[in-house]
Amino acid sequence: MEGISGLVRWADVVTAGMDFQRNRRLMTLDANAAIRGAFDADPDVSVVVEENHGVEDLCDLLIDEIDPRCTVVRGAGRPGATTMSALDANTGVVLLVGHHARAGSRPGIMAHTISYEKFRRVLVNGADCGEPEIFTIRAGELGVPVGMLSGDQVAAEQLLERAPWAEAVVVKTALSNVAAEVIPPERARDLIYEGANRAVAQAIGGKLSVYRDEAAPYEIEVQMRDPIPDGLQCNLERLDEFGIVDDRTVRTLAADMDLGFRRIAYLGFGDRPGLTRY
């Protein structure tokens, strides 16, 4: 939701914000623009929309206003990596709508990786990594190209480092982490439509590459904003797959990015004593 047209601040994407209900509609309309672009590229495609904004148990889209030709995956507790459960080897192309830059990005609208509140940095094989990049790595493992991203210019630049063939739809220019020069949503949706339409057409024509440049297993390092909570530290000490580097840093080695994503996410919620499942 952080990369949705017109949204620039944390109050825009949480339930306490004065415009949250309006912004849910803007999120739905951006998704609809991408869906329409996909179907106009080929009426016979199937489109699955997977919600991954972590508010209200990942149920933020207005389900009665989404394009009826798609299906929607929503709700917490999905199999595998929660925000990638619909992604499999039969997928033709991934379109990332409303995404944001990685943790530590300056500028970069609401930049973070998985948890702004908990994580200061997330590194994969020694390099800073964001959610669009995690999606790109996982898609590459399955032989699936990432064809488009919509968001600010920082998120676009970071994705293009790994997927230079992708459509980069810049709907706002970040001036800081909470300010941007925005394209009004109605016009931005036209850009999203065009980007999705081109990406799907390119995928159908076999003209998109698949990202396979990241070597597995992945060494993942998460640097916390605050010292590791006692409950999380106790749990991590019982899990051989995690290593505590110092009072704010945890490392793990993951065979694939489905597992890697789940382990990163666990560090954001695993501070309840005895909670060792992820």
Side-chain angles (χ1 to χ4, degrees):
M1 196 173 191
E2 292 85 351
I4 292 300
S5 302
L7 310 189
V8 300
R9 61 202 176 116
W10 291 107
D12 287 333
V13 301
V14 297
T15 55
M18 66 180 182
D19 288 328
F20 182 69
Q21 295 306 321
R22 180 197 303 271
N23 295 340
R24 291 178 65 200
R25 185 167 189 270
L26 295 180
M27 181 183 181
T28 305
L29 291 171
D30 274 13
N32 280 346
I35 296 165
R36 185 165 54 90
F39 278 111
D40 283 355
D42 183 347
D44 294 325
V45 299
S46 296
V47 176
V48 180
V49 177
E50 179 148 14
E51 288 199 48
N52 66 34
H53 183 58
V55 172
E56 290 288 347
D57 291 326
L58 296 95
C59 288
D60 300 294
L61 288 168
L62 298 178
I63 197 66
D64 58 337
E65 295 188 19
I66 200 76
D67 190 311
R69 295 172 292 180
C70 74
T71 60
V72 181
V73 176
R74 63 199 323 237
R78 304 168 204 173
T82 295
T83 59
M84 296 186 283
S85 63
L87 177 59
D88 61 29
N90 295 316
T91 303
V93 63
V94 174
L95 311 177
L96 301 173
V97 180
H99 277 252
H100 54 80
R102 68 175 78 111
S105 300
R106 298 287 187 275
I109 296 297
M110 295 175 272
H112 66 284
T113 302
I114 301 177
S115 173
Y116 176 80
E117 181 183 24
K118 300 291 181 64
F119 303 157
R120 188 173 71 85
R121 295 176 73 192
V122 174
L123 298 94
V124 174
N125 292 341
D128 286 291
C129 197
E131 292 166 44
E133 297 153 283
I134 289 172
F135 274 85
T136 302
I137 294 168
R138 178 57 180 161
E141 292 173 347
L142 299 168
V144 178
V146 171
M148 189 202 84
L149 176 142
S150 71
D152 67 27
Q153 84 281 14
V154 183
E157 290 164 4
Q158 291 174 358
L159 176 68
L160 292 175
E161 291 172 5
R162 294 178 188 259
W165 52 82
E167 294 285 331
V169 181
V170 176
V171 300
K172 50 195 166 188
T173 300
L175 305 175
S176 75
N177 288 153
V178 290
E181 180 179 358
V182 304
I183 298 172
E186 184 174 352
R187 183 153 54 93
R189 289 194 290 270
D190 290 339
L191 300 178
I192 294 169
Y193 166 86
E194 293 165 3
N197 184 262
R198 286 192 297 267
V200 172
Q202 291 281 312
I204 291 170
K207 297 179 180 178
L208 295 181
S209 299
V210 173
Y211 180 77
R212 291 193 173 97
D213 293 347
E214 201 72 51
Y218 309 110
E219 183 178 276
I220 296 170
E221 179 177 293
V222 178
Q223 298 177 5
M224 315 290 282
R225 290 187 180 275
D226 299 309
I228 299 168
D230 291 343
L232 178 59
Q233 178 155 340
C234 181
N235 290 337
L236 293 176
E237 289 171 350
R238 297 169 57 189
L239 295 168
D240 292 340
E241 59 267 39
F242 291 95
I244 298 173
V245 179
D246 56 41
D247 69 340
R248 295 175 190 248
T249 307
V250 179
R251 282 191 187 139
T252 187
L253 196 66
D256 59 55
M257 195 49 76
D258 177 84
L259 179 61
F261 182 95
R262 285 188 280 124
R263 288 185 180 170
I264 297 167
Y266 172 72
L267 298 175
F269 66 77
D271 55 354
R272 192 172 79 229
L275 181 61
T276 57
R277 294 184 61 190
Y278 52 84

